[in-house]
Amino acid sequence: MLFDSHTHLNDEQFNSDREEVIRRAQEQGVTRILNVGFNRETIEETLKLVETYDFMYAAVGWHPVDAIHCTEEDLDWIESLTNHPKVVALGEMGLDYHWDESPKGVQESVFRQQIRLARELDMPIIIHNREADADVIQILREEKAEEVGGVMHCFSGNWEIASQCLDMNFYIGLGGPVTFKNAKLPKEIAVQVPLDRLVVETDAPYLAPHPYRGKRNESGYVRLVAEKIAELRQMPLEELARQTFANANRLFRIEDAG
């Protein structure tokens, strides 16, 4: 059993073959998927997906790249959506200093508001962090994010950063980059993170693992991520899959969500 803990199967890149992509994922042993909506359009499409497939769940939030377009009305809407039985997390949220789309101050404000909302609702959060380690850690601490915890999506930092995240009640999410030949840090993290705090993901259609690097990613490729981590940790794939499946269920409180 595999749990793709972060994907975007609503993306237009899947418009021509979405059903086939989902079927292929099931054939690879993927029995649960968390699809992430991060703005108006993608959230609406995510909800349609999870209402169609009983093994899919949803996260709703506002991506930092789109933070400049986020209004109070949007945040109120996101709050209302948390009543949906298949919405199990808020996000992805955070900071992105790579793409110059939203001013840093706007990103920070939207990030903090979403953490506060998560604390009010007692829901885990999904963190997007690109080239903003120090500021992300500082905001998580100041906003007491450890009260709800969550996952550091597509983690790319070093062990010092990972340790701080673990201390704040966060899981570490690893995806395609752990399979890249020269990706030293993700491989080190894959071995060092406690097994009960690790989840696997694809971020499809982005960041496809080897040997599909540079091509469209799919949820079924999470098996390649799991295989590489199992190899690095010198353990059976079945054990790694079973543990990360249990971790994702615990992280997103899916059993409690029914």
PDB file of all heavy atoms in Angstrom, residues 21-43:
ATOM      1  N   VAL A  21      -4.261   7.860 -15.750  1.00  0.00           N
ATOM      2  CA  VAL A  21      -3.196   8.145 -14.789  1.00  0.00           C
ATOM      3  C   VAL A  21      -3.565   7.594 -13.416  1.00  0.00           C
ATOM      4  O   VAL A  21      -2.739   6.976 -12.730  1.00  0.00           O
ATOM      5  CB  VAL A  21      -2.942   9.664 -14.713  1.00  0.00           C
ATOM      6  CG1 VAL A  21      -2.066  10.016 -13.507  1.00  0.00           C
ATOM      7  CG2 VAL A  21      -2.286  10.156 -15.990  1.00  0.00           C
ATOM      8  N   ILE A  22      -4.810   7.804 -13.020  1.00  0.00           N
ATOM      9  CA  ILE A  22      -5.265   7.309 -11.720  1.00  0.00           C
ATOM     10  C   ILE A  22      -5.297   5.788 -11.709  1.00  0.00           C
ATOM     11  O   ILE A  22      -4.904   5.157 -10.717  1.00  0.00           O
ATOM     12  CB  ILE A  22      -6.641   7.912 -11.385  1.00  0.00           C
ATOM     13  CG1 ILE A  22      -6.499   9.426 -11.165  1.00  0.00           C
ATOM     14  CG2 ILE A  22      -7.244   7.245 -10.150  1.00  0.00           C
ATOM     15  CD1 ILE A  22      -7.808  10.162 -11.027  1.00  0.00           C
ATOM     16  N   ARG A  23      -5.701   5.189 -12.808  1.00  0.00           N
ATOM     17  CA  ARG A  23      -5.720   3.720 -12.895  1.00  0.00           C
ATOM     18  C   ARG A  23      -4.295   3.174 -12.795  1.00  0.00           C
ATOM     19  O   ARG A  23      -4.054   2.189 -12.088  1.00  0.00           O
ATOM     20  CB  ARG A  23      -6.365   3.274 -14.207  1.00  0.00           C
ATOM     21  CG  ARG A  23      -6.320   1.758 -14.430  1.00  0.00           C
ATOM     22  CD  ARG A  23      -6.922   1.370 -15.770  1.00  0.00           C
ATOM     23  NE  ARG A  23      -6.336   2.103 -16.877  1.00  0.00           N
ATOM     24  CZ  ARG A  23      -5.153   1.808 -17.417  1.00  0.00           C
ATOM     25  NH1 ARG A  23      -4.402   0.826 -16.923  1.00  0.00           N
ATOM     26  NH2 ARG A  23      -4.697   2.520 -18.433  1.00  0.00           N
ATOM     27  N   ARG A  24      -3.344   3.822 -13.477  1.00  0.00           N
ATOM     28  CA  ARG A  24      -1.953   3.360 -13.405  1.00  0.00           C
ATOM     29  C   ARG A  24      -1.415   3.472 -11.982  1.00  0.00           C
ATOM     30  O   ARG A  24      -0.633   2.622 -11.539  1.00  0.00           O
ATOM     31  CB  ARG A  24      -1.077   4.161 -14.373  1.00  0.00           C
ATOM     32  CG  ARG A  24      -1.266   3.796 -15.836  1.00  0.00           C
ATOM     33  CD  ARG A  24      -0.134   4.313 -16.697  1.00  0.00           C
ATOM     34  NE  ARG A  24      -0.128   5.761 -16.825  1.00  0.00           N
ATOM     35  CZ  ARG A  24      -0.752   6.436 -17.789  1.00  0.00           C
ATOM     36  NH1 ARG A  24      -1.464   5.775 -18.701  1.00  0.00           N
ATOM     37  NH2 ARG A  24      -0.660   7.745 -17.859  1.00  0.00           N
ATOM     38  N   ALA A  25      -1.806   4.521 -11.279  1.00  0.00           N
ATOM     39  CA  ALA A  25      -1.368   4.661  -9.888  1.00  0.00           C
ATOM     40  C   ALA A  25      -1.874   3.497  -9.050  1.00  0.00           C
ATOM     41  O   ALA A  25      -1.116   2.910  -8.253  1.00  0.00           O
ATOM     42  CB  ALA A  25      -1.869   5.987  -9.313  1.00  0.00           C
ATOM     43  N   GLN A  26      -3.124   3.134  -9.233  1.00  0.00           N
ATOM     44  CA  GLN A  26      -3.674   2.005  -8.491  1.00  0.00           C
ATOM     45  C   GLN A  26      -2.942   0.710  -8.828  1.00  0.00           C
ATOM     46  O   GLN A  26      -2.694  -0.121  -7.952  1.00  0.00           O
ATOM     47  CB  GLN A  26      -5.169   1.874  -8.789  1.00  0.00           C
ATOM     48  CG  GLN A  26      -6.008   3.002  -8.210  1.00  0.00           C
ATOM     49  CD  GLN A  26      -7.476   2.867  -8.554  1.00  0.00           C
ATOM     50  OE1 GLN A  26      -7.860   2.919  -9.715  1.00  0.00           O
ATOM     51  NE2 GLN A  26      -8.299   2.661  -7.543  1.00  0.00           N
ATOM     52  N   GLU A  27      -2.571   0.560 -10.080  1.00  0.00           N
ATOM     53  CA  GLU A  27      -1.838  -0.640 -10.489  1.00  0.00           C
ATOM     54  C   GLU A  27      -0.462  -0.711  -9.845  1.00  0.00           C
ATOM     55  O   GLU A  27       0.099  -1.807  -9.676  1.00  0.00           O
ATOM     56  CB  GLU A  27      -1.714  -0.674 -12.012  1.00  0.00           C
ATOM     57  CG  GLU A  27      -3.029  -0.921 -12.734  1.00  0.00           C
ATOM     58  CD  GLU A  27      -2.919  -0.787 -14.239  1.00  0.00           C
ATOM     59  OE1 GLU A  27      -1.841  -0.319 -14.713  1.00  0.00           O
ATOM     60  OE2 GLU A  27      -3.881  -1.139 -14.946  1.00  0.00           O
ATOM     61  N   GLN A  28       0.093   0.446  -9.470  1.00  0.00           N
ATOM     62  CA  GLN A  28       1.399   0.486  -8.803  1.00  0.00           C
ATOM     63  C   GLN A  28       1.276   0.362  -7.284  1.00  0.00           C
ATOM     64  O   GLN A  28       2.263   0.490  -6.570  1.00  0.00           O
ATOM     65  CB  GLN A  28       2.127   1.776  -9.170  1.00  0.00           C
ATOM     66  CG  GLN A  28       2.584   1.843 -10.612  1.00  0.00           C
ATOM     67  CD  GLN A  28       3.556   0.751 -10.968  1.00  0.00           C
ATOM     68  OE1 GLN A  28       4.479   0.435 -10.201  1.00  0.00           O
ATOM     69  NE2 GLN A  28       3.365   0.139 -12.131  1.00  0.00           N
ATOM     70  N   GLY A  29       0.056   0.129  -6.802  1.00  0.00           N
ATOM     71  CA  GLY A  29      -0.131  -0.070  -5.373  1.00  0.00           C
ATOM     72  C   GLY A  29      -0.489   1.181  -4.604  1.00  0.00           C
ATOM     73  O   GLY A  29      -0.478   1.173  -3.364  1.00  0.00           O
ATOM     74  N   VAL A  30      -0.805   2.266  -5.309  1.00  0.00           N
ATOM     75  CA  VAL A  30      -1.198   3.502  -4.640  1.00  0.00           C
ATOM     76  C   VAL A  30      -2.676   3.392  -4.266  1.00  0.00           C
ATOM     77  O   VAL A  30      -3.540   3.367  -5.140  1.00  0.00           O
ATOM     78  CB  VAL A  30      -0.963   4.730  -5.542  1.00  0.00           C
ATOM     79  CG1 VAL A  30      -1.383   6.011  -4.821  1.00  0.00           C
ATOM     80  CG2 VAL A  30       0.501   4.808  -5.957  1.00  0.00           C
ATOM     81  N   THR A  31      -2.949   3.321  -2.983  1.00  0.00           N
ATOM     82  CA  THR A  31      -4.327   3.117  -2.536  1.00  0.00           C
ATOM     83  C   THR A  31      -4.929   4.353  -1.877  1.00  0.00           C
ATOM     84  O   THR A  31      -6.122   4.370  -1.592  1.00  0.00           O
ATOM     85  CB  THR A  31      -4.406   1.935  -1.552  1.00  0.00           C
ATOM     86  OG1 THR A  31      -3.506   2.168  -0.461  1.00  0.00           O
ATOM     87  CG2 THR A  31      -4.036   0.637  -2.247  1.00  0.00           C
ATOM     88  N   ARG A  32      -4.096   5.377  -1.626  1.00  0.00           N
ATOM     89  CA  ARG A  32      -4.616   6.648  -1.140  1.00  0.00           C
ATOM     90  C   ARG A  32      -3.804   7.792  -1.738  1.00  0.00           C
ATOM     91  O   ARG A  32      -2.590   7.671  -1.932  1.00  0.00           O
ATOM     92  CB  ARG A  32      -4.601   6.727   0.384  1.00  0.00           C
ATOM     93  CG  ARG A  32      -5.780   5.982   1.002  1.00  0.00           C
ATOM     94  CD  ARG A  32      -5.942   6.202   2.470  1.00  0.00           C
ATOM     95  NE  ARG A  32      -7.166   5.539   2.908  1.00  0.00           N
ATOM     96  CZ  ARG A  32      -7.469   5.268   4.160  1.00  0.00           C
ATOM     97  NH1 ARG A  32      -6.647   5.610   5.127  1.00  0.00           N
ATOM     98  NH2 ARG A  32      -8.603   4.664   4.474  1.00  0.00           N
ATOM     99  N   ILE A  33      -4.513   8.889  -2.031  1.00  0.00           N
ATOM    100  CA  ILE A  33      -3.908  10.060  -2.653  1.00  0.00           C
ATOM    101  C   ILE A  33      -4.445  11.311  -1.976  1.00  0.00           C
ATOM    102  O   ILE A  33      -5.651  11.424  -1.736  1.00  0.00           O
ATOM    103  CB  ILE A  33      -4.240  10.110  -4.161  1.00  0.00           C
ATOM    104  CG1 ILE A  33      -3.553   8.953  -4.918  1.00  0.00           C
ATOM    105  CG2 ILE A  33      -3.820  11.451  -4.770  1.00  0.00           C
ATOM    106  CD1 ILE A  33      -3.997   8.835  -6.370  1.00  0.00           C
ATOM    107  N   LEU A  34      -3.546  12.248  -1.667  1.00  0.00           N
ATOM    108  CA  LEU A  34      -3.972  13.565  -1.205  1.00  0.00           C
ATOM    109  C   LEU A  34      -3.737  14.549  -2.345  1.00  0.00           C
ATOM    110  O   LEU A  34      -2.601  14.754  -2.772  1.00  0.00           O
ATOM    111  CB  LEU A  34      -3.179  14.011   0.018  1.00  0.00           C
ATOM    112  CG  LEU A  34      -3.675  15.364   0.558  1.00  0.00           C
ATOM    113  CD1 LEU A  34      -4.913  15.162   1.431  1.00  0.00           C
ATOM    114  CD2 LEU A  34      -2.597  16.090   1.335  1.00  0.00           C
ATOM    115  N   ASN A  35      -4.818  15.135  -2.855  1.00  0.00           N
ATOM    116  CA  ASN A  35      -4.708  16.137  -3.916  1.00  0.00           C
ATOM    117  C   ASN A  35      -4.790  17.520  -3.285  1.00  0.00           C
ATOM    118  O   ASN A  35      -5.614  17.771  -2.410  1.00  0.00           O
ATOM    119  CB  ASN A  35      -5.820  15.963  -4.951  1.00  0.00           C
ATOM    120  CG  ASN A  35      -5.429  16.551  -6.288  1.00  0.00           C
ATOM    121  OD1 ASN A  35      -4.721  15.917  -7.065  1.00  0.00           O
ATOM    122  ND2 ASN A  35      -5.866  17.773  -6.572  1.00  0.00           N
ATOM    123  N   VAL A  36      -3.927  18.417  -3.758  1.00  0.00           N
ATOM    124  CA  VAL A  36      -3.775  19.727  -3.136  1.00  0.00           C
ATOM    125  C   VAL A  36      -4.288  20.834  -4.049  1.00  0.00           C
ATOM    126  O   VAL A  36      -3.835  20.973  -5.188  1.00  0.00           O
ATOM    127  CB  VAL A  36      -2.297  19.980  -2.777  1.00  0.00           C
ATOM    128  CG1 VAL A  36      -2.124  21.354  -2.135  1.00  0.00           C
ATOM    129  CG2 VAL A  36      -1.776  18.876  -1.856  1.00  0.00           C
ATOM    130  N   GLY A  37      -5.237  21.606  -3.535  1.00  0.00           N
ATOM    131  CA  GLY A  37      -5.707  22.799  -4.224  1.00  0.00           C
ATOM    132  C   GLY A  37      -5.125  24.027  -3.565  1.00  0.00           C
ATOM    133  O   GLY A  37      -5.140  24.125  -2.333  1.00  0.00           O
ATOM    134  N   PHE A  38      -4.609  24.981  -4.355  1.00  0.00           N
ATOM    135  CA  PHE A  38      -3.882  26.104  -3.756  1.00  0.00           C
ATOM    136  C   PHE A  38      -4.344  27.475  -4.236  1.00  0.00           C
ATOM    137  O   PHE A  38      -3.689  28.480  -3.964  1.00  0.00           O
ATOM    138  CB  PHE A  38      -2.382  25.944  -3.998  1.00  0.00           C
ATOM    139  CG  PHE A  38      -2.008  25.750  -5.452  1.00  0.00           C
ATOM    140  CD1 PHE A  38      -1.958  26.830  -6.322  1.00  0.00           C
ATOM    141  CD2 PHE A  38      -1.699  24.488  -5.939  1.00  0.00           C
ATOM    142  CE1 PHE A  38      -1.612  26.660  -7.647  1.00  0.00           C
ATOM    143  CE2 PHE A  38      -1.361  24.304  -7.264  1.00  0.00           C
ATOM    144  CZ  PHE A  38      -1.306  25.399  -8.126  1.00  0.00           C
ATOM    145  N   ASN A  39      -5.457  27.542  -4.953  1.00  0.00           N
ATOM    146  CA  ASN A  39      -6.099  28.808  -5.297  1.00  0.00           C
ATOM    147  C   ASN A  39      -7.539  28.485  -5.701  1.00  0.00           C
ATOM    148  O   ASN A  39      -7.954  27.323  -5.625  1.00  0.00           O
ATOM    149  CB  ASN A  39      -5.340  29.558  -6.410  1.00  0.00           C
ATOM    150  CG  ASN A  39      -5.168  28.723  -7.671  1.00  0.00           C
ATOM    151  OD1 ASN A  39      -5.968  27.824  -7.954  1.00  0.00           O
ATOM    152  ND2 ASN A  39      -4.137  29.015  -8.442  1.00  0.00           N
ATOM    153  N   ARG A  40      -8.307  29.476  -6.102  1.00  0.00           N
ATOM    154  CA  ARG A  40      -9.725  29.255  -6.385  1.00  0.00           C
ATOM    155  C   ARG A  40      -9.951  28.113  -7.368  1.00  0.00           C
ATOM    156  O   ARG A  40     -10.726  27.186  -7.117  1.00  0.00           O
ATOM    157  CB  ARG A  40     -10.351  30.536  -6.947  1.00  0.00           C
ATOM    158  CG  ARG A  40     -10.734  31.542  -5.885  1.00  0.00           C
ATOM    159  CD  ARG A  40     -12.139  31.308  -5.386  1.00  0.00           C
ATOM    160  NE  ARG A  40     -12.485  32.200  -4.278  1.00  0.00           N
ATOM    161  CZ  ARG A  40     -13.667  32.208  -3.694  1.00  0.00           C
ATOM    162  NH1 ARG A  40     -14.623  31.399  -4.109  1.00  0.00           N
ATOM    163  NH2 ARG A  40     -13.906  33.028  -2.684  1.00  0.00           N
ATOM    164  N   GLU A  41      -9.289  28.194  -8.505  1.00  0.00           N
ATOM    165  CA  GLU A  41      -9.512  27.210  -9.564  1.00  0.00           C
ATOM    166  C   GLU A  41      -9.109  25.809  -9.136  1.00  0.00           C
ATOM    167  O   GLU A  41      -9.870  24.852  -9.297  1.00  0.00           O
ATOM    168  CB  GLU A  41      -8.746  27.615 -10.827  1.00  0.00           C
ATOM    169  CG  GLU A  41      -8.918  26.654 -11.991  1.00  0.00           C
ATOM    170  CD  GLU A  41      -8.103  27.036 -13.203  1.00  0.00           C
ATOM    171  OE1 GLU A  41      -7.337  28.022 -13.125  1.00  0.00           O
ATOM    172  OE2 GLU A  41      -8.219  26.349 -14.236  1.00  0.00           O
ATOM    173  N   THR A  42      -7.909  25.679  -8.584  1.00  0.00           N
ATOM    174  CA  THR A  42      -7.429  24.336  -8.252  1.00  0.00           C
ATOM    175  C   THR A  42      -8.171  23.730  -7.067  1.00  0.00           C
ATOM    176  O   THR A  42      -8.311  22.516  -6.983  1.00  0.00           O
ATOM    177  CB  THR A  42      -5.914  24.348  -7.973  1.00  0.00           C
ATOM    178  OG1 THR A  42      -5.632  25.230  -6.881  1.00  0.00           O
ATOM    179  CG2 THR A  42      -5.142  24.810  -9.204  1.00  0.00           C
ATOM    180  N   ILE A  43      -8.639  24.563  -6.148  1.00  0.00           N
ATOM    181  CA  ILE A  43      -9.421  24.038  -5.023  1.00  0.00           C
ATOM    182  C   ILE A  43     -10.746  23.474  -5.523  1.00  0.00           C
ATOM    183  O   ILE A  43     -11.157  22.369  -5.140  1.00  0.00           O
ATOM    184  CB  ILE A  43      -9.645  25.123  -3.958  1.00  0.00           C
ATOM    185  CG1 ILE A  43      -8.335  25.419  -3.216  1.00  0.00           C
ATOM    186  CG2 ILE A  43     -10.724  24.684  -2.965  1.00  0.00           C
ATOM    187  CD1 ILE A  43      -8.420  26.609  -2.282  1.00  0.00           C
TER     188      ILE A  43
END
